[in-house]
Amino acid sequence: MAVTVLALARSRNLFGVVVLGGIYSFLTATALVALDAVDVAMTEASVGAGISTVLFLGALYLCKSEEAKPAQRPWLPLALSVAVGATLVYGTLGLPAF
């Protein structure tokens, strides 16, 4: 699964990203079966690998197959993501211990 995620992060070909996303969903479903959560695995396989992949392929049909390079670095979204993550971590500090 980690190799699939690394390939997803490095890929600029959108068709490859859609296919790798479907593969990742199937791998997740396999892991869920191994954890004895068959109902969740079936949902992941049907929604994550099935319907989502078909919808992404349909959207890709209407778009270009290569991702456009951004004109500048997206610092504002990165800062916002870090701030939200820090707020969530801060919120978990008040939770009771197990």
Side-chain angles (χ1 to χ4, degrees):
M1 288 175 69
V3 172
T4 307
V5 170
L6 290 174
L8 269 168
R10 300 289 302 160
S11 181
R12 303 221 28 110
N13 184 348
L14 296 180
F15 180 75
V17 169
V18 171
V19 170
L20 285 171
I23 291 170
Y24 181 79
S25 291
F26 274 125
L27 291 174
T28 304
T30 304
L32 289 169
V33 168
L35 293 172
D36 215 17
V38 180
D39 55 339
V40 180
M42 292 301 288
T43 303
E44 175 64 31
S46 63
V47 174
I51 294 173
S52 295
T53 302
V54 169
L55 290 176
F56 282 138
L57 287 174
L60 187 61
Y61 176 74
L62 302 173
C63 302
K64 297 179 182 176
S65 65
E66 290 290 324
E67 179 183 7
K69 292 194 182 238
Q72 58 187 0
R73 297 279 183 199
W75 296 112
L76 181 63
L78 177 64
L80 182 64
S81 298
V82 169
V84 168
T87 304
L88 290 171
V89 169
Y90 177 72
T92 60
L93 296 177
L95 292 174
F98 281 105

